[in-house]
Amino acid sequence: PRGDKVEGARNGSDLEQRTGGKNTYAALPAEARAACEADAKRFVGAGKKYKTQQEWRNRYAEIYFQE
């Protein structure tokens, strides 16, 4: 059997990148954070797609780092 695989190990999964990796809101450049905050008015709040600012920030970072 190959000994190079560890059960439960991840290799750059999306979840890891969003939560524990470098691709978070905090890792965004200042211009991207400013754009995220400006767009929040359209997307965050009651009756909108994202209920909290944090949900929106997480999604924005996910989209930003996909490219």
Side-chain angles (χ1 to χ4, degrees), residues 18-35:
R18 283 184 273 145
T19 59
K22 298 175 191 168
N23 298 344
T24 63
Y25 177 81
L28 290 171
E31 305 85 38
R33 285 194 306 269

Side-chain angles (χ1 to χ4, degrees), residues 9-64:
R10 290 189 227 169
N11 202 9
S13 73
D14 288 341
L15 178 61
E16 182 179 22
Q17 290 175 352
R18 283 184 273 145
T19 59
K22 298 175 191 168
N23 298 344
T24 63
Y25 177 81
L28 290 171
E31 305 85 38
R33 285 194 306 269
C36 176
E37 297 307 314
D39 286 346
K41 296 171 188 165
R42 293 188 314 182
F43 299 111
V44 178
K48 296 183 180 178
K49 187 168 184 171
Y50 302 95
K51 301 298 177 206
T52 67
Q53 187 79 6
Q54 191 59 47
E55 286 177 9
W56 167 242
R57 288 176 175 170
N58 291 343
R59 179 62 179 143
Y60 189 93
E62 181 180 303
I63 293 166
Y64 180 88

